[in-house]
Amino acid sequence: MAIERTFSMIKPDATKRNLTGAITKVFEDNGLRVVASKRVWMSKREAEGFYAVHKERPFFGELVEGMTSGPTVVQVLEGENAILKNREIMGATNPADAAEGTIRKTYALSIGENSVHGSDAPETAAQEISYWFSGTEIVG
């Protein structure tokens, strides 16, 4: 099994409800290590840049508005098959479809306020990590 890194974000709907520690504990309890973490309040420009892949989608404006509505915790997680493991731990995007015990089933409010984001592939992970962190901020 390969040790890899992935990007993880605890979204404003979760930070507003003081769930940062509870969600991070789920990652750690499932074998992922936090090797970088910081709390940011995204500007509109940062949110638009981070989610540029969705720019043409009808939900883009609502997405940017939600992501700029409060603090977000951006993290780099490390572990065996971290990308897949993180996605399994998060659960389906729609909390109604998420498996029991996943973060989204437990904490998400709706499909739009689904508490967490995680990279879906090695290339995406590298891009998302470098968007928020310099190499010296990742200290595994």
Side-chain angles (χ1 to χ4, degrees):
M1 295 275 160
I3 299 293
E4 63 185 5
R5 289 180 174 167
T6 191
F7 177 78
S8 173
M9 178 187 297
I10 302 173
K11 296 180 178 181
D13 69 273
T15 63
K16 288 176 187 173
R17 292 178 289 141
N18 204 31
L19 296 173
T20 302
I23 290 171
T24 300
K25 184 173 179 355
V26 174
F27 294 135
E28 292 178 334
D29 287 349
N30 282 278
L32 296 174
R33 253 177 32 151
V34 177
V35 295
S37 181
K38 60 184 168 183
R39 191 175 183 96
V40 299
W41 196 313
M42 278 189 219
S43 68
K44 183 178 179 186
R45 181 186 58 76
E46 287 171 326
E48 288 174 342
F50 185 77
Y51 286 106
V53 66
H54 298 302
K55 188 171 181 119
E56 301 304 319
R57 299 218 172 147
F59 61 82
F60 183 71
E62 183 181 336
L63 176 62
V64 169
E65 185 178 321
M67 294 308 297
T68 59
S69 68
T72 299
V73 175
V74 293
Q75 299 178 318
V76 179
L77 305 177
E78 181 179 82
E80 288 193 19
N81 296 312
I83 295 167
L84 179 60
K85 185 177 279 191
N86 182 38
R87 296 198 60 81
E88 290 172 354
I89 294 166
M90 289 189 309
T93 302
N94 184 344
D97 299 332
E100 288 298 326
T102 62
I103 291 170
R104 289 180 173 145
K105 187 66 161 188
T106 305
Y107 298 116
L109 300 173
S110 67
I111 195 168
E113 291 181 305
N114 60 18
S115 301
V116 289
H117 163 86
S119 301
D120 60 0
E123 301 78 22
T124 311
Q127 181 182 40
E128 292 178 339
I129 289 168
S130 68
Y131 192 87
W132 294 107
F133 295 95
S134 71
T136 60
E137 293 176 300
I138 302 170
V139 289

